[in-house]
Amino acid sequence: MNGRNERVVTVRALAELGVQVSTVFSGETTALMVAAENGHESTVRALVELGAQVDAVDSDGWTALMFAAMNGHEAAVRALVELGAQVDAVNSDGSTALMKAAGNGHESITRRVRAPLARLRLAPRRHGHDDGLQR
């Protein structure tokens, strides 16, 4: 069994034993953030499938998507976007996942994050929201 499969098997086994997949560690970091930061796409998918909050934020407002984008982990970014991560989330220093990817020269990730962001910006306004973003 390779490392990727071992991580997923471990995550599923821990969940079966009752470990909460959204447990918050010091600094308000979650297992999903750690998996995304390290580019473990299959673990990201397993954690969200088991109930991890895709848009949880740490003490600095960082999301799993921001960690994956900053570190150039395209597969993890793709998974998070497919799983509904909020692409326009802003952390405490005013940065988004798009800014983190662009600032670190990750052009393919910049394109991947920009596409759903553009769809959000172009979506018709819905009653009760005046910012033009479809929610």
Side-chain angles (χ1 to χ4, degrees):
M1 188 178 307
N2 66 27
R4 176 180 59 205
N5 290 336
E6 288 173 3
R7 284 187 295 275
V8 171
V9 168
T10 300
V11 165
R12 291 187 189 285
L14 289 169
E16 287 176 16
L17 291 171
V19 173
Q20 298 298 312
V21 295
S22 291
T23 298
V24 176
F25 307 108
S26 65
E28 298 181 28
T29 301
T30 66
L32 180 61
M33 291 174 193
V34 174
E37 182 176 24
N38 290 290
H40 301 308
E41 180 249 351
S42 57
T43 306
V44 164
R45 289 184 183 279
L47 286 164
V48 173
E49 176 186 311
L50 292 167
Q53 299 300 309
V54 73
D55 286 322
V57 296
D58 72 4
S59 56
D60 293 318
W62 282 62
T63 64
L65 181 60
M66 290 175 190
F67 284 113
M70 181 184 76
N71 289 313
H73 299 305
E74 188 169 0
V77 168
R78 181 179 57 249
L80 289 161
V81 170
E82 289 172 1
L83 293 165
Q86 184 180 348
V87 294
D88 59 345
V90 178
N91 69 13
S92 62
D93 71 6
S95 296
T96 64
L98 177 63
M99 294 169 158
K100 294 298 180 187
N104 286 287
H106 304 304
E107 292 180 27
S108 62
I109 292 173
T110 301
R111 287 189 299 275
R112 180 161 305 279
V113 174
R114 190 181 301 145
L117 194 55
R119 285 191 296 275
L120 283 173
R121 300 282 183 243
L122 297 174
R125 292 181 183 209
R126 292 173 43 162
H127 181 69
H129 298 290
D130 60 3
D131 60 5
L133 298 179
Q134 184 174 5
R135 303 203 193 284

